[in-house]
Amino acid sequence: MKFFIDTANIDEIKEAHSMGMVDGVTTNPTLIAREGRNFEEIITDICEIVDGPISAEVIGLKTEEMVTEARVLAAIHKNIVIKIPMTVDGLKAARILTDEGIKTNVTLVFSPLQALMAAKAGATYVSPFVGRLDDLSQDGLLLVEQIVEIYNNYAYDTEIIVASVRNPLHILESAMMGADIATIPFDVLGKLAAHPMTDKGLKAFLKDWEKRKK
Ligand code: G3P
């Protein structure tokens, strides 16, 4: 399973990258706005740290606006992936950009049929939002399971990025289902590595080591 980091924070990206855990980065307008810096500058900085797919989201709602923005963003670096909202205009933009050889990530996906349409539009990636479905008492992971099955049924190349990840179980269950990628907030990445028995065992080892005959 590929791990992307879901942040626009350069310090977090550097730290996760030094752990060897970053195969790519996803950003969104909220994450970019949180940094209080120029969009293109942030994306350029990220591209210098991580050699993998970097998702940058368009703001326009009309196909033509999305395509125009996408071409500018895609010119920043070869690794840029254009994140496009799952709307009819977004699907049209995904088809145009795919045909131009620009990679796309269709985002804000909340149903398996939206994911099917994204694949048919030629999207490189699709981003189902598990946490936001869970927030509505709907089963976010069921959505991932359904998309995996549909894509397998028809051998679509579109890769599934499990997004809106809130906890380690989202990643465990998605990995068991065979989702291609999880895009993980920095704090959740730390939780994956941690186990109280690891800490307890290490403490005991060090205590015994101190007691050894020197
Ligand atoms: O970047 C898309 C997604 O991962 C956002 O997650 O936590 O805002 O629902 P969240």
Side-chain angles (χ1 to χ4, degrees), residues 167-183:
N167 58 59
L169 267 183
H170 281 153
I171 298 158
L172 172 61
E173 296 291 336
S174 299
M176 304 277 287
M177 290 167 193
D180 305 280
I181 302 148
T183 190

Side-chain angles (χ1 to χ4, degrees), residues 6 26-28 30-31 34 57 83 107 127 129 131-132 135 162-166 183 185:
D6 197 24
T26 53
T27 66
N28 63 37
T30 304
L31 294 171
R34 202 174 282 165
E57 190 158 341
K83 220 171 171 186
T107 189
S127 292
F129 276 35
R132 292 192 196 182
D135 290 344
V162 179
S164 187
V165 163
R166 302 278 168 78
T183 190

